[in-house]
Amino acid sequence: TGDGKNDNNGNTFLSSLKTSTHVFSGRLSTSERPSIFSKMRSYRSANATTVTGTAKGEGTFENQLDQELEEEHERTTTETVLIYISFLIQTSLFVYFLTMTILVAKKPQSISTAIQHANFNEIPSGATTIGIFFGLVTTIIDYDRKRFLMVQRIFFIFSSSITMLGSIFAIVLPNESSSPTYIDYITMSLLIVYTLLAFIESKVFQIVLKKGDENKKKHLGKSLLKILKPYFWPEATSSSAFLNRTRAILTWMCVAASKTCSLISPIFLGKASTALSRMEYSECARYAIIYCSIQFSSTFFKECQSLVYLKVAQAAFVQLSELSFSHLHSLSLDWHLKKKLGEVIRSMDRGILSCDTLMKYLFLWLIPALSECVLVCVIFAAYFDYLPLALAIFTFVFVYMVWTILVTLWRKKFRKSVAKSDNDWHDKCTDSLINYETVKFFTSEKYEIERFSDSVKEYQSSSVQVQASLGFLNITQMMLMQTCLASALVLATYGIQKRSDCCVDYGCDNGNSQCCTDLGGKCSGMEVGDFVTVLTYTLNLFMPLNFLGSVYNAIVMALVDLRNLSELLAEDPDLVDSPDAIELPPTNESDPDV
């Protein structure tokens, strides 16, 4: 072009070319060679962008790099001030609840009477302290709110609201022993402020997205809703839309009925055990029959759910296949020429299958299992009026799930090593046998056997690591489950003892459970048969969680495939019909020859 800048680029290229000739003559080491080719590629990029650039410099190499970089989001004054206010409020709340937990638990003589008799005692105060601590740590890590996305906002609002409502129920609900003190009302006011802070932060802070991601995420969200809709509200296929939607509703009704029966049946087993301890054999037999009937109903509804869902899955498969196929035909020829057909077909095929996997494992298995865990904790806290047992069960189940996921992620490297070594020894075996004449010609049999043996040994070593890590996971899972079971049974024992001691104080004989029942609600606690109820509930909770690792892997893979299909459906066609477009007639009625 004749300008000075390109002359300099030309000199740079010539000097790089002279230097690069030494690469082929062996004068540069291997470590220096990549830098030479990097300089040549940099020159080609800079020279091409300079030649095609406009007068304003829009096509320069530096501007192209600037366009690829993520634009830095500048916080407003309100957002900056809110960051500091949020940190101060959460730090103050953490210090307050930590202090209250220590004071209420120790109950020193020098503290106020209002603190000693506060309804918001050490258990809810300690749980609130832990929750606020994790929120404070998250705030410190993400101090500039770059990762404060929609999911984080929902969890922040949900957790703070649950904490606030729990404090209101613990403080305001009538208590026979004491009435709320001014400390309780201060605590409730602080938690209301914490909830308002969650709502304000979610409203004020803008979601930070990379350049061009806003429209993409919007289209992806619509695509995900479009993909999952046929499983919840299907359209007409070979069957009518009404019949398909009826089946979808019946599926969720069967899920709810099955879990309801699973939650109710252990209570009747406990009542049967209590009746047996009182030598009321007819009552024991009646409760046993009710228990078995409800257990059968739970299995019956579970099988009905699988049977009804089969038709729902088939209708959804047909609808999604037609949707994806018609969408591909609506895209332009230019898009089809740029894409690889095999990749498109694979994304469509795997994406449709992943929808069924996601529904089975996430919506029909994991979410009902987690709901059952929460409801069991509610039953322990409300029906049995034993909050420590509910907190213990919830804590162990939470730790069990987190530990299973962490170990499953850690075991991935061993499974990858097995797959790699398996491919390696099969490749060496195949290559050696295909090149049989070459091996014989060079008398390399011994060398090939050694290579093959090393690969097989590596495969066996990796397989042992996979099995050992699986055994480690099973042992730790069993340890957590048995520890939870032991803790739950010990707490149930103390709950039964507490009720028995209360009944003795009211004049009942020790061990006379019928006398305790006749007292009504004067003595809270658990009966003898509730020991069996706690055992049954705990075993039922951990039974589906044994497959959590496999289910987690399946859900993650399904989400990856589902995202690929969502990106495919998020592509907008270049030409679309107008909303008031008239359909072309198949024939010309005025002139059939035209």
Side-chain angles (χ1 to χ4, degrees):
T1 56
D3 58 353
K5 184 174 183 180
N6 287 316
D7 289 340
N8 292 333
N9 286 335
N11 294 331
T12 305
F13 172 71
L14 291 176
S15 61
S16 300
L17 185 60
K18 291 178 181 178
T19 310
S20 64
T21 58
H22 299 295
V23 176
F24 304 101
S25 61
R27 297 182 184 178
L28 289 178
S29 63
T30 305
S31 61
E32 293 173 323
R33 296 177 186 180
S35 62
I36 301 299
F37 293 108
S38 299
K39 289 180 181 180
M40 296 172 66
R41 287 194 296 267
S42 300
Y43 164 75
R44 288 196 296 267
S45 300
N47 192 35
T49 53
T50 306
V51 171
T52 59
T54 61
K56 295 181 180 180
E58 294 176 13
T60 60
F61 183 58
E62 292 78 10
N63 287 340
Q64 281 192 348
L65 289 178
D66 293 337
Q67 290 175 3
E68 292 176 0
L69 294 176
E70 180 183 353
E71 293 184 351
E72 187 70 21
H73 176 72
E74 295 182 0
R75 292 293 181 192
T76 62
T77 306
T78 305
E79 292 175 339
T80 305
V81 173
L82 186 57
I83 289 175
Y84 292 105
I85 293 176
S86 174
F87 175 75
L88 291 176
I89 290 177
Q90 294 189 55
T91 304
S92 303
L93 289 176
F94 172 70
V95 173
Y96 171 80
F97 282 104
L98 180 62
T99 306
M100 287 296 300
T101 303
I102 296 173
L103 292 177
V104 175
K106 295 296 183 180
K107 290 185 174 59
Q109 299 295 329
S110 57
I111 65 171
S112 172
T113 307
I115 298 178
Q116 292 182 356
H117 299 89
N119 288 343
F120 202 74
N121 54 28
E122 62 272 14
I123 295 178
S125 181
T128 305
T129 304
I130 296 174
I132 293 178
F133 172 74
F134 283 114
L136 180 61
V137 171
T138 305
T139 301
I140 294 173
I141 294 174
D142 190 24
Y143 65 92
D144 54 356
R145 301 300 192 275
K146 286 185 177 180
R147 300 181 182 90
F148 196 47
L149 303 179
M150 186 57 65
V151 176
Q152 286 80 356
R153 295 165 195 249
I154 293 173
F155 276 108
F156 190 19
I157 293 174
F158 180 74
S159 60
S160 59
S161 301
I162 291 295
T163 305
M164 180 194 66
L165 293 175
S167 68
I168 293 175
F169 285 131
I171 294 172
V172 176
L173 290 181
N175 194 335
E176 298 179 0
S177 59
S178 62
S179 58
T181 63
Y182 72 89
I183 293 294
D184 291 324
Y185 291 112
I186 292 175
T187 301
M188 186 171 60
S189 302
L190 292 176
L191 290 177
I192 292 174
V193 170
Y194 185 60
T195 305
L196 292 176
L197 177 65
F199 280 97
I200 292 173
E201 286 196 26
S202 302
K203 181 67 176 176
V204 171
F205 287 113
Q206 299 180 10
I207 297 179
V208 180
L209 295 176
K210 293 183 179 180
K211 186 177 181 180
D213 278 1
E214 187 173 359
N215 293 330
K216 185 177 179 181
K217 284 186 175 291
K218 183 178 179 181
H219 289 304
L220 282 178
K222 291 182 180 179
S223 301
L224 284 173
L225 292 177
K226 190 186 298 185
I227 291 172
L228 295 177
K229 180 184 175 182
Y231 290 92
F232 296 92
W233 199 248
E235 302 293 338
T237 52
S238 58
S239 304
S240 63
F242 174 77
L243 186 58
N244 288 336
R245 292 168 183 175
T246 302
R247 290 168 179 161
I249 295 173
L250 284 176
T251 300
W252 301 108
M253 291 178 63
C254 289
V255 172
S258 176
K259 288 300 178 184
T260 301
C261 292
S262 298
L263 290 170
I264 294 175
S265 59
I267 296 177
F268 289 96
L269 182 61
K271 290 184 177 181
S273 302
T274 302
L276 184 62
S277 66
R278 298 173 183 171
M279 293 183 292
E280 298 174 355
Y281 301 109
S282 59
E283 287 292 314
C284 177
R286 184 169 68 90
Y287 284 129
I289 294 174
I290 294 175
Y291 167 74
C292 294
S293 301
I294 296 177
Q295 280 291 98
F296 171 77
S297 300
S298 176
T299 307
F300 173 77
F301 285 121
K302 183 67 175 177
E303 295 301 322
C304 288
Q305 167 217 314
S306 302
L307 186 62
V308 175
Y309 174 75
L310 182 62
K311 287 291 184 180
V312 176
Q314 290 177 351
F317 183 87
V318 172
Q319 187 175 339
L320 287 175
S321 300
E322 293 178 352
L323 174 66
S324 304
F325 192 68
S326 62
H327 179 74
L328 290 177
H329 272 291
S330 68
L331 298 177
S332 64
L333 175 62
D334 183 59
W335 184 89
H336 281 277
L337 293 176
K338 291 179 180 179
K339 287 291 183 180
K340 296 179 180 178
L341 181 60
E343 181 181 349
V344 173
I345 297 299
R346 189 165 55 250
S347 297
M348 184 178 70
D349 188 21
R350 290 180 179 176
I352 295 173
L353 293 177
S354 67
C355 293
D356 184 61
T357 302
L358 192 67
M359 289 297 301
K360 284 182 178 179
Y361 290 116
L362 179 60
F363 292 100
L364 296 177
W365 187 89
L366 184 59
I367 292 179
L370 296 178
S371 303
E372 183 181 6
C373 172
V374 173
L375 291 176
V376 166
C377 295
V378 171
I379 290 174
F380 285 150
Y383 181 79
F384 293 105
D385 194 17
Y386 204 12
L387 185 61
L389 180 59
L391 292 177
I393 293 293
F394 182 82
T395 302
F396 274 105
V397 171
F398 178 77
V399 172
Y400 183 94
M401 295 178 63
V402 173
W403 176 255
T404 301
I405 292 174
L406 291 177
V407 177
T408 301
L409 294 176
W410 170 67
R411 292 184 65 238
K412 273 188 176 181
K413 61 180 181 181
F414 299 123
R415 292 199 297 270
K416 288 181 180 179
S417 178
V418 166
K420 183 179 178 181
S421 58
D422 183 44
N423 294 334
D424 183 56
W425 78 266
H426 277 92
D427 291 343
K428 289 180 179 178
C429 178
T430 304
D431 292 341
S432 181
L433 294 177
I434 289 177
N435 298 282
Y436 172 81
E437 293 181 359
T438 306
V439 173
K440 285 292 184 180
F441 183 78
F442 289 98
T443 63
S444 301
E445 294 91 341
K446 184 177 180 182
Y447 174 74
E448 291 295 325
I449 292 173
E450 290 178 355
R451 291 175 64 242
F452 180 77
S453 300
D454 292 340
S455 298
V456 172
K457 290 177 182 177
E458 184 178 355
Y459 170 74
Q460 291 178 341
S461 176
S462 301
S463 301
V464 170
Q465 289 178 342
V466 169
Q467 293 299 323
S469 61
L470 179 61
F472 172 73
L473 176 61
N474 292 335
I475 291 173
T476 53
Q477 283 181 331
M478 187 59 63
M479 182 182 67
L480 286 172
M481 189 189 77
Q482 296 300 330
T483 306
C484 176
L485 184 61
S487 302
L489 294 180
V490 169
L491 289 173
T493 303
Y494 283 114
I496 296 171
Q497 182 185 8
K498 176 184 175 182
R499 186 170 184 269
S500 178
D501 294 342
C502 177
C503 294
V504 170
D505 294 338
Y506 277 97
C508 295
D509 295 334
N510 191 12
N512 190 350
S513 58
Q514 184 61 45
C515 178
C516 288
T517 305
D518 296 337
L519 292 176
K522 294 182 179 180
C523 293
S524 61
M526 308 182 75
E527 296 184 356
V528 176
D530 295 335
F531 186 88
V532 181
T533 302
V534 171
L535 173 64
T536 307
Y537 271 130
T538 307
L539 293 178
N540 289 345
L541 278 181
F542 282 95
M543 190 178 299
L545 297 181
N546 290 332
F547 309 99
L548 182 60
S550 302
V551 170
Y552 175 78
N553 286 330
I555 291 175
V556 170
M557 293 302 299
L559 288 174
V560 172
D561 294 333
L562 193 61
R563 181 177 179 83
N564 294 334
L565 180 60
S566 301
E567 292 177 353
L568 189 64
L569 295 178
E571 293 289 340
D572 292 327
D574 294 340
L575 296 175
V576 293
D577 291 335
S578 176
D580 55 349
I582 301 175
E583 186 176 356
L584 292 175
T587 59
N588 190 349
E589 297 179 357
S590 60
D591 190 356
D593 295 333
V594 178

